[in-house]
Amino acid sequence: MTRWTRNLILVASLTALPACASTPAQRGLMVFQQVCSACHGMEHVAYGDMSSLGLSPDEIRKWAADQQMPNGTDDNGDPKTRPATATDPILSPYPNEAMGRLANHGLLPPDLSRLALTLPGGAEEIRQILLSYAPTPAGMTLDEGRYYNTALKWKHIGMPPPLQDGMLTYPDGTPATSAQMANDVSAFLDWIAHPHQAERRRIGVYVVTYLALMAFLTFLLQRRIWRAHR
Amino acid sequence: MTSPLKTPDTDPPDWLERRLPVMSLLRRQYVAFPMPRNLNAFWSFGAFLIVTMAFMIASGLFLAINYTPDITQAFASVEAIDRQIPSGWFIRSLHMGGVTMLFACLYIHIGRSLWYGSYKAPRELLWLTGLGLMLMVMVTAFAGYVLPWGQMSYWGATVILNAVHAIPLIGQPLSELLLGGDTLGNVALHRLFVLHFTMAFAILGVIALHVAALHVVKSNNPSGIDPVSPSQTLPFHPYYTSRDGFALCLFLMVYAGLVFFLPDLLTLADNYVQANPLVTPRDIRPEWYFAPFYAILRAVPSRLGGLLLASGSLAVLFTLPWLDRSALRPATRRPMVRLSLPLAFAAFMVLGVAGMHAPTPAWLLASRVAIAWWFIHFLLVMPLASEREMSS
Amino acid sequence: MTQSETPPSSDGTRRRDLLATGTVVLGCAGACALAVPFVESLKNPVANPLSDRLLDVDLSSLTPGQDMSVRWRDWPVFIQRRTPQMLAALQAPDHLATLRDADSKVLQQPKDATNWHRSVRPEYGVLIGVCTHLGCVPSFEKPGSTPEAKGGYFCPCHGSHFDAAGRVARRAPAPCNLPVPPVTFLSDTKLRIGHSAGDPGFSMSDIQQI
C-alpha cells in the first residue's frame, strides 16, 4: 500500500469509527505498549495525546499509572520515581543514554516521536524493516548484537526481531500475525509523527471551501466594478 | 460604495477630523488615491506581502508565547506547540508556510520591478527600501530557522556563522557578537531569538517607509509611462481594493493548501531531529529560498570568493538604478533587456534548483554559468542597453 | 480627482451593494474565525482533570505545635499538628464571634472536614495556603512566638487573619476560609493528599474560592 492510500484510510477510519472495530493505528498503539516500549520511548508525546486516537481518559490514566517517572531524589539522594500521569511524556524505559547503550550492545534505541518522518522512507520503511528479518545465511557472520535484515543496505540491524505471531491478542479479534502487527505499528508511528493530521485535513477542507466562495464573490464584485472601464 | 469620489474638503469637519485627521488621510491615500488604469496581476504581490507579513507577526507572537529559547528545551517546546498546545500545530504551520509565501512573493515582487523598470527615477528610494526589506527578511528568516534547534537549525546556523566569520575585517567581531561564545550554544540561541523577534518589528517600520515612498511617487505601470491626467487613473477604492481582494483569495488558497495539506512539502525532515553537535546530517541543504545563494557558495572554489559573489549578487541590485540610466522602463520595449532579463531570471532559478541538489559536476557547471549570466546581465547588458537607448 | 468616471448603471447598483455587503460581511466572519485558534492556543493545555495527583506525606517528624508545608498541584499545603491549647482556642465562644464563617458553611472543604476543627482528625490541620483574598501565601504564627499568636495564619499582603483551622477573621478583607484539600490518613503518621476517603466525590474544582 502506498503512503498516500494508507493515510487516506487512516483519515477515513478516524472520522467514522464503528464502536467495535479498531483502526490500524489503534492496534499499533497496543503493539507499542506491549512490544516497542520495552526499549523505545516517545519523549515528545504525552500519554494524554492518545485521547485523539480514541483512548478514554480512564484507559490513558491506567496505562500511565503503570509507568514510572523520575521524581527527584529521596532523603538519601537516591533517585525516586512516581507513577506517570496523562500529561507526562512517554519516556524511554532507560533512565539515561548510558544505560540504554549498555543494554543494547552500545546502540541506543531511537526515540519514536518523529521516526516515521525523519527515517528516509518513512512508515513504509519501518514496516519493511519489521518484516525483513531472516536467518543469517550460511557463510555470513555478524557481530554480536547484530541481526540479519534484508531491508537494510548492509543487511543487518541492531534491533532483535521484535515481533512473533500471536505474541499479543487484539481485542477486536484481528489475528496478531507478525505482518499484521508490523502493518499496525507502522500506521501508529506514522500517526504519531504527523500530529493532528486528520484534524488538519478536515479543517483544511472547510478553509479552502470558504476561500473558494470568497474568491467567487470577490471575482463577481471586481468584474462588476471594472465592467464600466472595459 | 458611492462615496469614494468625495474629497475630504466637502465633508463636514467632524470631531475626530479636527483633532487627528486620520480619516481624510486614509481617504486620500487609500480610497481616492489615483492608480494607473492598466496594472496587471503582478501588482497584487505587494498586497500579498503585507497580508503574509501580518500572518507572520500574529503567528510569531503566539509561537513566542510557547517557545523556550534554551538549548535544552527549545526542541521540546516546539514539539509541544505541534502536539499539546491547542491549535499550536495550526499556528506553527501558518508561520512555516508563511516563510515560503513571503519569499515567493518577495522574489516575484522584485522580478516584477526588474521587468517593468520600477526601480528607475523617481522610484529609486522605493527600490532601495524594498531591497533593504528583502535583506532584513533574510536575516530574520535565518535567525528564525535556528530557533527550533533541530539538526538543520544547528548546522545551518553553524555554516552561516562561520561564513560571517570569514568576512574580512568585520567578520570576526560580528560573528563573536552573534555567538557570544566559542561555539553555537545557549547564548547564541537566545540572541538569535531576540534578533528574530526584534527584526520582525523593524521590518514593519521599513514597510511603512516603503509604502510612504510609494504614495509619494505613485505606482509604476506596465506601459512604463506615468499617467499625467486624472482620466488615466482610477481611484484605489473600489477598483483595486476589489481586484486585490479577489487576488488575495486565490493567494490565500495556495497558502491554505500549504498549511493544511502539504505541511511537510518544503521543510526538511532532518529538522525534526534534535540538534546534535557531534553529527552533521548527511544531506544538509538550506530551505529553498536560500538555495540560490547556497549554490553560489558551493560553485566558487574559494571561501572568500563565494561569499563575495553571493553578497555581490544582491549588491548589484542596489546599484541598478544607476547602472541602468535609460528612461525606457518596461523590458517589453527594450529588445536587449527583453532577451537578457528572462535569462537572468532563469539563472536565479537554476541556482535555486542547483542549491537543492548534491554538487555533481553538472550542477556545479550549471551554477557557474548561471552566476556568470547574472553578473553579465546587470553589469554589462544593462549599462550597454541603456547607453544604446539613450544615444538613439 | 476622478470626477469624469461614470457611476455604475442604476440596475447594477443594487446588486453590487448586496454583493459588496455580503462579501465584506463574509470576509469579516472569516477574519473572526481565524482569531479562534489564536485565542484557543492561550488555553492551558495542562488544565485537565487527568492531572490530579496524589501526594503521600510522612507526619512522624511533626511535633505538636509545629507546622510544615508541602507542594501539591502547585499549591502550598500547610500541615499543622495542634496542641490541646490550640484546639481549645478554636472552640472559644468569643473567638468564634470574630469569624466570618465559623461553621464552614461555604464550600471550602470536603464533607469530612466540615466540622469545628476543619480537618479529618482534630490534632492535624491540613490547609491550602493560598489567601482567598488575592492569592498570597499566609505565614504561620507559631503558638507562643508572640503573646497573641495562637497558631493561626497571617497574610502579609493585605493583613488577613485566619485562625488555626483556616477560618477567616471578620475584620479581614479575605472573603472565605482557607480551602481544605481532600485527604486520607493511611496510618497514624502517613497522610495522602488528593483523595478523601470520607468524601470520595470531592474535587478541588467544586470549592468556592481559591
Side-chain angles (χ1 to χ4, degrees):
Chain A
M1 240 188 308
T2 67
R3 187 193 175 90
W4 201 206
T5 46
R6 270 191 303 116
N7 282 341
L8 274 181
I9 291 171
L10 180 62
V11 171
S13 55
L14 281 176
T15 43
L17 188 66
C20 56
S22 60
T23 64
Q26 284 174 330
R27 289 194 299 268
L29 169 64
M30 245 188 104
V31 179
F32 173 82
Q33 287 171 320
Q34 300 191 18
V35 185
C36 316
S37 63
C39 302
H40 296 273
M42 303 190 287
E43 62 169 340
H44 299 297
V45 184
Y47 293 98
D49 292 355
M50 297 303 146
S51 62
S52 48
L53 197 61
L55 256 68
S56 70
D58 272 337
E59 287 171 307
I60 290 171
R61 214 190 320 239
K62 249 182 79 188
W63 177 32
D66 286 341
Q67 321 296 321
Q68 292 296 310
M69 286 290 295
N71 188 26
T73 52
D74 64 13
D75 295 343
N76 297 324
D78 294 325
K80 268 197 316 186
T81 61
R82 59 168 173 80
T85 65
T87 52
D88 284 322
I90 303 172
L91 292 183
S92 153
Y94 305 110
N96 56 45
E97 190 181 329
M99 301 263 280
R101 287 188 187 278
L102 194 67
N104 293 284
H105 301 279
L107 293 168
L108 187 69
D111 187 83
L112 299 182
S113 309
R114 292 279 192 181
L115 190 70
L117 184 67
T118 56
L119 187 78
E124 179 57 25
E125 178 67 12
I126 295 173
R127 196 175 76 96
Q128 287 302 332
I129 290 173
L130 290 174
L131 291 175
S132 302
Y133 284 97
T136 313
M140 188 173 182
T141 50
L142 291 174
D143 293 343
E144 199 191 347
R146 309 297 303 178
Y147 302 89
Y148 186 73
N149 189 310
T150 55
L152 288 122
K153 197 177 169 191
W154 303 111
K155 307 289 179 212
H156 56 79
I157 189 170
M159 174 170 69
L163 301 175
Q164 289 152 31
D165 288 343
M167 69 194 296
L168 50 82
T169 314
Y170 285 132
D172 65 346
T174 309
T177 59
S178 297
Q180 182 67 43
M181 287 187 287
N183 212 33
D184 292 345
V185 80
S186 61
F188 169 71
L189 291 177
D190 197 59
W191 176 81
I192 212 78
H194 300 91
H196 306 287
Q197 178 135 280
E199 190 189 2
R200 184 189 288 271
R201 290 184 180 154
R202 188 171 52 81
I203 295 175
V205 171
Y206 292 127
V207 171
V208 171
T209 310
Y210 165 79
L211 287 172
L213 177 65
M214 283 301 287
F216 178 66
L217 289 178
T218 46
F219 172 75
L220 289 184
L221 194 62
Q222 68 99 25
R223 196 184 59 168
R224 193 157 285 273
I225 289 168
W226 279 81
R227 191 144 70 185
H229 300 279
R230 283 283 147 80
Chain B
M1 289 294 126
T2 52
S3 62
L5 309 181
K6 262 189 210 168
T7 57
D9 305 331
T10 60
D11 272 352
D14 56 6
W15 189 89
L16 181 66
E17 193 59 35
R18 270 179 279 125
R19 286 156 182 84
L20 193 66
V22 281
M23 297 315 279
S24 63
L25 180 87
L26 282 178
R27 188 163 299 145
R28 259 197 322 276
Q29 298 295 327
Y30 291 97
V31 176
F33 190 75
M35 299 288 286
R37 287 170 159 241
N38 56 338
L39 299 187
N40 62 29
F42 285 110
W43 266 265
S44 288
F45 279 78
F48 299 167
L49 280 165
I50 296 264
V51 168
T52 313
M53 200 58 214
F55 273 109
M56 292 305 277
I57 298 253
S59 56
L61 280 177
F62 281 79
L63 287 176
I65 286 171
N66 293 302
Y67 171 74
T68 313
D70 178 298
I71 56 169
T72 58
Q73 291 165 54
F75 187 82
S77 72
V78 174
E79 280 281 332
I81 289 171
D82 253 1
R83 293 176 189 275
Q84 281 107 25
I85 303 292
S87 307
W89 59 268
F90 169 69
I91 296 172
R92 177 149 186 261
S93 295
L94 213 53
H95 207 66
M96 289 168 74
V99 192
T100 284
M101 301 312 282
L102 196 65
F103 272 99
C105 292
L106 203 57
Y107 290 152
I108 294 173
H109 194 60
I110 290 172
R112 189 267 291 155
S113 298
L114 288 172
W115 183 256
Y116 292 110
S118 305
Y119 50 85
K120 296 189 184 188
R123 298 190 177 83
E124 297 97 328
L125 270 184
L126 191 57
W127 173 248
L128 293 182
T129 49
L131 288 179
L133 278 172
M134 178 184 69
L135 292 187
M136 292 169 84
V137 167
M138 285 176 166
V139 171
T140 313
F142 159 70
Y145 194 65
V146 183
L147 302 184
W149 208 245
Q151 273 288 66
M152 285 296 169
S153 302
Y154 182 86
W155 292 101
T158 301
V159 168
I160 296 291
L161 288 169
N162 281 327
V164 170
H165 192 91
I167 301 171
L169 295 175
I170 57 159
Q172 197 176 345
L174 188 61
S175 75
E176 274 167 16
L177 281 181
L178 278 172
L179 275 176
D182 293 335
T183 52
L184 189 58
N186 222 0
V187 181
L189 179 63
H190 212 122
R191 284 181 191 189
L192 289 169
F193 175 57
V194 174
L195 179 71
H196 181 71
F197 201 95
T198 316
M199 282 299 274
F201 295 96
I203 287 172
L204 278 192
V206 181
I207 288 176
L209 284 179
H210 189 66
V211 172
L214 172 71
H215 280 239
V216 173
V217 297
K218 311 262 183 336
S219 290
N220 185 25
N221 68 76
S223 77
I225 301 160
D226 288 333
V228 282
S229 75
S231 66
Q232 290 170 310
T233 64
L234 288 172
F236 185 70
H237 179 76
Y239 291 97
Y240 284 102
T241 43
S242 66
R243 191 188 259 188
D244 281 352
F246 170 57
L248 208 52
C249 289
L250 299 182
F251 167 79
L252 288 177
M253 282 171 84
V254 177
Y255 192 174
L258 213 52
V259 167
F260 291 105
F261 300 103
L262 299 163
D264 302 324
L265 179 70
L266 295 161
T267 53
L268 303 167
D270 270 329
N271 221 27
Y272 286 102
V273 179
Q274 189 163 3
N276 179 355
L278 303 179
V279 182
T280 304
R282 287 193 66 83
D283 57 341
I284 180 166
R285 57 195 163 99
E287 297 287 296
W288 71 267
Y289 42 86
F290 286 139
F293 309 101
Y294 178 70
I296 298 179
L297 286 183
R298 276 200 315 200
V300 182
S302 138
R303 186 168 71 171
L304 186 59
L307 283 173
L308 282 178
L309 282 187
S311 43
S313 67
L314 291 172
V316 288
L317 295 177
F318 281 87
T319 60
L320 191 57
W322 296 276
L323 289 172
D324 178 12
R325 307 191 63 86
S326 162
L328 280 177
R329 282 180 190 152
T332 42
R333 295 172 60 198
R334 311 172 67 188
M336 271 174 84
V337 180
R338 195 179 175 172
L339 274 178
S340 165
L341 186 58
L343 286 175
F345 289 156
F348 186 75
M349 283 183 237
V350 165
L351 283 170
V353 178
M356 297 205 284
H357 285 85
T360 57
W363 279 119
L364 282 182
L365 179 70
S367 308
R368 286 172 188 158
V369 171
I371 299 167
W373 189 259
W374 183 262
F375 284 101
I376 289 173
H377 169 75
F378 287 108
L379 296 178
L380 239 71
V381 176
M382 293 308 269
L384 263 176
S386 53
E387 195 75 18
R388 274 177 48 171
E389 284 156 12
M390 284 198 296
S391 60
S392 67
Chain C
M1 48 192 67
T2 49
Q3 297 296 342
S4 62
E5 297 311 326
T6 48
S9 55
S10 54
D11 63 314
T13 313
R14 240 186 100 79
R15 200 172 133 200
R16 186 172 105 190
D17 282 349
L18 185 67
L19 187 61
T21 317
T23 309
V24 169
V25 166
L26 205 59
C28 290
C32 293
L34 178 65
V36 171
F38 286 89
V39 176
E40 193 97 330
S41 80
L42 298 177
K43 287 186 185 160
N44 180 5
V46 181
N48 66 49
L50 296 176
S51 66
D52 266 1
R53 285 181 186 163
L54 300 176
L55 180 72
D56 290 349
V57 185
D58 181 18
L59 303 176
S60 52
S61 58
L62 205 62
T63 58
Q66 252 193 345
D67 86 316
M68 64 188 281
S69 308
V70 294
R71 234 171 95 169
W72 175 68
R73 285 184 58 178
D74 288 335
W75 289 311
V77 174
F78 299 151
I79 306 172
Q80 50 169 249
R81 186 152 170 202
R82 294 166 179 156
T83 59
Q85 292 88 332
M86 285 165 79
L87 290 173
L90 286 181
Q91 300 171 87
D94 53 336
H95 168 63
L96 294 179
T98 65
L99 300 175
R100 213 184 272 279
D101 182 16
D103 301 325
S104 300
K105 290 201 177 69
V106 179
L107 182 63
Q108 287 286 92
Q109 60 281 315
K111 285 196 197 87
D112 59 358
T114 312
N115 44 39
W116 63 269
H117 47 88
R118 295 190 79 228
S119 58
V120 180
R121 295 186 180 186
E123 63 269 29
Y124 286 105
V126 186
L127 299 164
I128 290 183
V130 177
C131 182
T132 52
H133 180 219
L134 293 171
C136 296
V137 176
S139 48
F140 184 57
E141 298 180 305
K142 198 173 157 61
S145 59
T146 61
E148 344 35 296
K150 295 191 185 74
Y153 297 90
F154 172 72
C155 181
C157 287
H158 303 94
S160 292
H161 267 282
F162 301 89
D163 71 2
R167 290 177 296 191
V168 66
R170 215 182 271 284
R171 61 193 155 87
C176 301
N177 295 339
L178 289 179
V180 177
V183 298
T184 306
F185 277 89
L186 300 176
S187 70
D188 278 351
T189 57
K190 192 107 178 148
L191 181 71
R192 169 166 287 178
I193 306 177
H195 176 75
S196 167
D199 185 4
F202 180 81
S203 155
M204 283 309 290
S205 52
D206 298 339
I207 62 166
Q208 189 76 34
Q209 173 73 55
I210 190 160

Coordinates of all heavy atoms in Angstrom, one line a residue, chain A residues 159-189:
Chain A
M159 N 18.5 -4.0 16.2 CA 17.3 -4.3 16.9 C 17.0 -5.8 16.7 O 16.8 -6.3 15.6 CB 16.1 -3.5 16.4 CG 14.8 -3.8 17.0 SD 13.5 -2.6 16.5 CE 13.3 -2.9 14.8
P160 N 16.9 -6.6 17.8 CA 16.5 -8.0 17.7 C 15.1 -8.1 17.1 O 14.3 -7.2 17.2 CB 16.5 -8.6 19.1 CG 16.8 -7.4 20.0 CD 17.0 -6.2 19.2
P161 N 14.8 -9.2 16.4 CA 13.4 -9.3 15.7 C 12.4 -9.1 16.8 O 12.3 -9.9 17.8 CB 13.4 -10.7 15.2 CG 14.8 -11.2 15.1 CD 15.6 -10.4 16.1
P162 N 11.5 -8.1 16.8 CA 10.6 -7.8 17.9 C 9.3 -8.5 17.8 O 8.7 -8.7 18.9 CB 10.4 -6.3 17.8 CG 10.6 -6.0 16.3 CD 11.5 -7.0 15.8
L163 N 8.9 -8.9 16.6 CA 7.5 -9.4 16.5 C 7.5 -11.0 16.3 O 8.3 -11.5 15.6 CB 6.8 -8.8 15.3 CG 6.7 -7.2 15.4 CD1 6.1 -6.7 14.1 CD2 5.9 -6.8 16.6
Q164 N 6.6 -11.6 17.0 CA 6.3 -13.0 16.8 C 4.8 -13.2 16.6 O 4.0 -12.6 17.4 CB 6.8 -13.9 18.0 CG 8.3 -14.0 18.1 CD 8.7 -14.2 19.5 OE1 8.0 -14.8 20.3 NE2 9.9 -13.6 19.8
D165 N 4.4 -14.1 15.8 CA 3.0 -14.4 15.6 C 2.3 -14.7 16.9 O 2.8 -15.5 17.7 CB 2.8 -15.6 14.6 CG 3.1 -15.2 13.2 OD1 3.2 -14.0 12.9 OD2 3.3 -16.1 12.4
G166 N 1.2 -14.1 17.1 CA 0.4 -14.4 18.3 C 1.0 -13.9 19.6 O 0.5 -14.4 20.7
M167 N 2.0 -13.0 19.7 CA 2.6 -12.6 20.9 C 1.6 -11.7 21.7 O 1.8 -11.5 22.9 CB 3.9 -11.9 20.7 CG 3.8 -10.6 20.0 SD 5.4 -10.0 19.4 CE 6.3 -9.8 21.0
L168 N 0.6 -11.2 21.1 CA -0.4 -10.5 21.8 C -1.8 -10.7 21.2 O -1.9 -11.4 20.1 CB -0.2 -8.9 21.8 CG 0.2 -8.2 20.5 CD1 -1.1 -7.9 19.8 CD2 1.0 -7.0 20.8
T169 N -2.8 -10.4 21.9 CA -4.2 -10.6 21.4 C -4.9 -9.3 21.2 O -5.0 -8.5 22.1 CB -5.0 -11.4 22.4 OG1 -4.1 -12.5 22.9 CG2 -6.2 -12.0 21.8
Y170 N -5.3 -9.0 20.0 CA -6.1 -7.8 19.7 C -7.5 -8.0 20.2 O -8.1 -9.0 20.0 CB -6.1 -7.6 18.2 CG -4.9 -7.0 17.6 CD1 -4.3 -7.6 16.4 CD2 -4.2 -6.0 18.1 CE1 -3.2 -7.1 15.9 CE2 -3.1 -5.5 17.6 CZ -2.5 -6.0 16.4 OH -1.4 -5.5 15.8
P171 N -8.0 -7.0 20.9 CA -9.4 -7.1 21.5 C -10.4 -7.2 20.3 O -11.5 -7.7 20.6 CB -9.6 -5.9 22.3 CG -8.5 -4.9 21.9 CD -7.4 -5.7 21.3
D172 N -10.1 -6.7 19.2 CA -11.2 -6.7 18.1 C -11.1 -8.0 17.3 O -11.8 -8.2 16.3 CB -11.0 -5.5 17.1 CG -9.7 -5.6 16.4 OD1 -8.8 -6.4 16.8 OD2 -9.5 -4.9 15.4
G173 N -10.3 -9.0 17.8 CA -10.3 -10.3 17.1 C -9.4 -10.4 15.9 O -9.3 -11.5 15.3
T174 N -8.7 -9.3 15.5 CA -7.8 -9.4 14.3 C -6.7 -10.3 14.7 O -6.1 -10.2 15.8 CB -7.2 -8.0 14.0 OG1 -8.3 -7.1 13.9 CG2 -6.4 -8.0 12.8
P175 N -6.4 -11.3 13.8 CA -5.3 -12.2 14.2 C -3.9 -11.5 14.2 O -3.6 -10.7 13.3 CB -5.2 -13.2 13.0 CG -6.4 -12.9 12.2 CD -6.9 -11.6 12.5
A176 N -3.2 -11.6 15.3 CA -2.0 -10.9 15.6 C -0.8 -11.6 14.9 O 0.1 -12.1 15.6 CB -1.7 -10.6 17.0
T177 N -0.8 -11.6 13.6 CA 0.4 -12.1 12.9 C 1.5 -11.1 12.9 O 1.2 -9.9 13.1 CB 0.0 -12.5 11.4 OG1 -0.4 -11.3 10.8 CG2 -1.1 -13.5 11.4
S178 N 2.7 -11.5 12.6 CA 3.8 -10.5 12.5 C 3.5 -9.5 11.5 O 3.7 -8.3 11.7 CB 5.1 -11.2 12.1 OG 5.4 -12.2 13.1
A179 N 3.0 -9.9 10.3 CA 2.7 -9.0 9.2 C 1.7 -8.0 9.7 O 1.8 -6.7 9.4 CB 2.2 -9.7 8.0
Q180 N 0.6 -8.5 10.3 CA -0.4 -7.6 10.8 C 0.1 -6.6 11.8 O -0.2 -5.4 11.7 CB -1.6 -8.4 11.4 CG -2.7 -7.6 11.9 CD -3.5 -7.0 10.8 OE1 -3.8 -7.6 9.8 NE2 -3.9 -5.7 10.9
M181 N 0.9 -7.0 12.7 CA 1.5 -6.1 13.7 C 2.4 -5.1 13.1 O 2.4 -4.0 13.5 CB 2.2 -7.0 14.8 CG 1.2 -7.7 15.7 SD 2.0 -8.5 17.1 CE 2.8 -9.9 16.4
A182 N 3.2 -5.6 12.2 CA 4.1 -4.6 11.5 C 3.4 -3.5 10.8 O 3.7 -2.3 10.9 CB 5.0 -5.4 10.5
N183 N 2.3 -3.9 10.2 CA 1.4 -3.0 9.5 C 0.8 -2.0 10.5 O 0.8 -0.8 10.3 CB 0.3 -3.8 8.9 CG -0.2 -3.2 7.6 OD1 0.6 -2.7 6.9 ND2 -1.5 -3.4 7.4
D184 N 0.3 -2.5 11.6 CA -0.4 -1.7 12.6 C 0.6 -0.7 13.2 O 0.3 0.4 13.4 CB -1.1 -2.6 13.6 CG -2.2 -3.4 13.0 OD1 -2.6 -3.1 11.9 OD2 -2.7 -4.4 13.7
V185 N 1.7 -1.3 13.6 CA 2.6 -0.4 14.4 C 3.2 0.7 13.5 O 3.5 1.8 13.9 CB 3.7 -1.2 15.1 CG1 4.9 -1.6 14.2 CG2 4.2 -0.4 16.3
S186 N 3.4 0.4 12.2 CA 3.9 1.4 11.3 C 2.8 2.5 11.1 O 3.1 3.7 11.0 CB 4.4 0.9 10.0 OG 3.4 0.2 9.3
A187 N 1.5 2.1 11.0 CA 0.5 3.0 10.9 C 0.4 3.9 12.2 O 0.2 5.1 12.1 CB -0.9 2.3 10.7
F188 N 0.6 3.3 13.3 CA 0.7 4.1 14.6 C 1.8 5.1 14.6 O 1.6 6.3 14.9 CB 0.8 3.1 15.7 CG 1.1 3.8 17.0 CD1 0.1 4.6 17.7 CD2 2.3 3.8 17.6 CE1 0.3 5.2 18.8 CE2 2.6 4.4 18.8 CZ 1.6 5.2 19.4
L189 N 3.0 4.6 14.1 CA 4.2 5.5 14.2 C 4.0 6.7 13.1 O 4.4 7.8 13.4 CB 5.4 4.8 13.9 CG 5.8 3.8 15.0 CD1 7.1 3.0 14.7 CD2 6.1 4.6 16.3

